[in-house]
Amino acid sequence: MEGIVAADNMRRAWRQVRRNRGAPGIDGMRVEDFPAYARGHWPTIKQALLGGTYSPQPVRRVSIPKPGGGERLLGIPTVVDRIIQQAIAQVMGPIFDEGFSESSFGFRPRRSAHGALRQVQASIKAGYRIAVDLDLAKFFDNVQHDILMVRVARKVGDAGLLALIGRYLRAGVMVGEAFESSEIGTPQGGPLSPLLANILLDDLDRELERRGHRFARYADDVLVLVKTPRAGERVKASLTRFLTQRLKLRVNERKSRVAPIGQCVFLGFTFRKGKLRWSAQAFEDFKHNVRRLTGRSWGVSMRYRFYKLAQYLRGWMGYFGISEYYRPVPEIDEWLRRRVRMGYWKRWRLIRTKVRHLLALGVDKRQAIQTAKSSKSYWRLSKSPALQVGMTNLWLKEQGLISVRALWMKAHGYA
């Protein structure tokens, strides 16, 4: 606890929470409000932490839509509790991380989802092409506190810290104005939860290693690779028993399966003939977000729209750009340009405004008038000669539209 509340560690925790930003907890305090609050209250909070009397506040329940349907429940701690959790994770993380499996990739320094995907590719290349795809049902909601704390206590001997972690687990949830106790589960949304998940699931990693299996795990996403369907069924059955009996976790039988690796989705990717491709669902989510960013109903300037679109495209390609399937990339750029041309066309609205803009962009007067008076749909007109001559690819680039193809080429070392 003394290491956790040390000034250097707390400053690091504050900088990380400030960088992550995030919504207020139940007390309404914003991240930017913390320094002023800390000047008057931190000595008291520090004393309570060292004395074992600090009581975390309940988390605020929010739900976000999941890409495949349904909702994911998040628990948003207060800013103060986020900083304390981050400080705990910074001290505990290195103690546990050095003993974690080489096949564990989630929420660890110098490890990423891309590393997990590359490991799966290496197993496919070695002839392991049958996947045991295990789905842990609502993992963060079903963690048993006593089972988790036994595993934390294997390397943490500070009784005060163990008690504080226990209080965080039992702090409860505010759903609107109603308080709900938390007898099980660890809120997904706090800085400490990913480390606690890795501590609990390290037992699964060790069991898989003991049996000599090839696998990759990213948080609660687990993929085990075997050579035959028969072996896969045996592994699925035995691991289901291990998870339910030893770790008291629930396996979603409806979503768990044994299948050729080419039929599986892992971390948003599929493996076709061993090659990485973004999944159909990931691409649908991408198109949905681009439609939102380029839609007429979003009443912002085109300059700001291009800024947010570029931000999203860079982020998306930063993750999905490792896809080895190039064919759809130029088509995405063409679709993006049509979406943007359509956005301009809708904004201009009046016929005379459309004509004036087209003429300014160098379109022939007769063609500009004919296009402006056309009753064809916005989408069809976005590919019309007038809009393509006026809003050329170069012009769109000058306005701020970035190229997905250029991002993909850069990711693969071609530019």
Side-chain angles (χ1 to χ4, degrees):
M1 281 303 302
E2 288 167 355
I4 287 165
V5 300
D8 286 349
N9 189 55
M10 293 305 302
R11 277 194 291 268
R12 281 178 54 215
W14 156 240
R15 286 195 295 267
Q16 184 61 46
V17 170
R18 181 177 59 188
R19 192 157 45 241
N20 292 342
R21 299 188 63 80
I26 63 168
D27 61 354
M29 184 191 297
R30 302 171 302 170
V31 172
E32 53 267 33
D33 298 331
F34 175 75
Y37 177 84
R39 282 192 286 272
H41 295 84
W42 175 246
T44 304
I45 295 171
K46 179 180 177 179
Q47 190 57 45
L49 288 166
L50 290 172
T53 60
Y54 180 79
S55 294
Q57 295 192 64
V59 299
R60 182 169 65 87
R61 169 69 53 80
V62 297
S63 61
I64 59 173
K66 294 173 71 173
E71 291 183 327
R72 176 179 286 111
L73 299 179
L74 297 182
I76 309 300
T78 64
V79 174
V80 172
D81 283 326
R82 288 212 293 274
I83 293 169
I84 295 170
Q85 285 192 35
Q86 179 64 35
I88 295 171
Q90 287 170 182
V91 171
M92 275 178 49
I95 296 170
F96 283 92
D97 192 81
E98 63 180 6
F100 284 156
S101 168
E102 289 296 310
S103 296
S104 168
F105 292 90
F107 306 105
R108 297 181 59 193
R110 297 175 297 281
R111 288 175 170 269
S112 67
H114 288 178
L117 293 163
R118 296 300 188 201
Q119 179 147 311
V120 171
Q121 281 191 298
S123 295
I124 295 169
K125 190 174 181 180
Y128 295 79
R129 297 188 176 93
I130 300 298
V132 182
D133 189 359
L134 290 171
D135 184 88
L136 299 179
K138 296 184 177 179
F139 168 74
F140 286 92
D141 295 335
N142 288 307
V143 170
Q144 300 285 330
H145 293 170
D146 55 345
I147 292 175
L148 170 61
M149 292 306 298
V150 165
R151 283 147 181 82
V152 174
R154 288 172 182 171
K155 293 190 176 182
V156 174
D158 188 320
L161 176 55
L162 292 172
L164 177 60
I165 294 171
R167 287 196 291 274
Y168 269 116
L169 292 173
R170 298 187 300 273
V173 178
M174 293 299 295
V175 184
E177 299 296 320
F179 173 81
E180 293 183 4
S181 61
S182 49
E183 300 302 321
I184 62 171
T186 174
Q188 191 175 359
L192 192 55
S193 290
L195 175 59
L196 296 178
N198 276 336
I199 291 171
L200 180 62
L201 291 174
D202 186 57
D203 276 27
L204 172 62
D205 298 341
R206 295 305 172 192
E207 180 66 15
L208 288 165
E209 289 178 340
R210 186 184 67 79
R211 299 181 188 187
H213 291 311
R214 287 176 175 256
F215 72 99
R217 181 177 66 80
Y218 189 94
D220 57 329
D221 284 320
V222 188
L223 200 67
V224 185
L225 282 301
V226 296
K227 289 189 172 180
T228 67
R230 186 175 179 182
E233 293 295 345
R234 286 199 305 270
V235 169
K236 178 176 175 289
S238 62
L239 289 181
T240 298
R241 286 194 299 272
F242 178 86
L243 288 163
T244 54
Q245 295 175 12
R246 182 79 66 86
L247 300 182
K248 306 301 181 185
L249 296 171
R250 289 170 49 204
V251 175
N252 188 331
E253 288 288 349
R254 186 174 61 84
K255 292 185 178 180
S256 300
R257 60 177 184 152
V258 176
I261 187 63
Q263 297 178 14
C264 293
V265 176
F266 183 56
L267 303 178
F269 285 86
T270 60
F271 304 85
R272 300 291 173 87
K273 297 181 180 179
K275 301 290 186 181
L276 282 173
R277 298 185 183 187
W278 53 64
S279 69
Q281 184 61 56
F283 191 45
E284 283 302 312
D285 294 338
F286 168 82
K287 290 192 291 185
H288 171 77
N289 285 315
V290 169
R291 287 190 187 101
R292 177 177 55 82
L293 290 167
T294 57
R296 180 184 175 184
S297 59
W298 193 28
V300 297
S301 69
M302 290 302 290
R303 183 177 180 179
Y304 183 73
R305 191 185 297 267
F306 280 127
Y307 166 73
K308 296 303 290 184
L309 184 60
Q311 196 176 52
Y312 175 73
L313 292 175
R314 288 194 179 99
W316 197 85
M317 287 302 291
Y319 182 74
F320 287 102
I322 65 168
S323 169
E324 296 163 298
Y325 186 45
Y326 173 74
R327 198 173 105 183
V329 174
E331 297 171 5
I332 294 173
D333 268 344
E334 181 183 346
W335 178 71
L336 270 171
R337 288 191 292 266
R338 285 192 69 180
R339 289 286 309 175
V340 172
R341 288 185 182 114
M342 182 175 70
Y344 274 110
W345 197 241
K346 286 181 176 179
R347 288 173 73 89
W348 294 340
R349 299 180 64 186
L350 299 175
I351 291 176
R352 64 175 178 271
T353 306
K354 292 174 179 178
V355 171
R356 186 177 74 251
H357 280 291
L358 289 178
L359 291 175
L361 290 169
V363 178
D364 174 78
K365 184 175 182 180
R366 181 180 177 185
Q367 191 176 50
I369 294 171
Q370 286 179 339
T371 306
K373 289 183 174 181
S374 174
S375 60
K376 292 178 181 178
S377 69
Y378 289 119
W379 182 244
R380 285 191 65 185
L381 287 172
S382 67
K383 203 175 182 180
S384 66
L387 268 65
Q388 290 189 329
V389 168
M391 290 181 271
T392 63
N393 295 354
L394 177 60
W395 184 83
L396 291 173
K397 182 179 179 181
E398 290 170 347
Q399 306 314 301
L401 181 62
I402 65 173
S403 165
V404 170
R405 179 180 179 276
L407 293 173
W408 189 93
M409 298 291 279
K410 184 178 181 180
H412 289 264
Y414 296 117

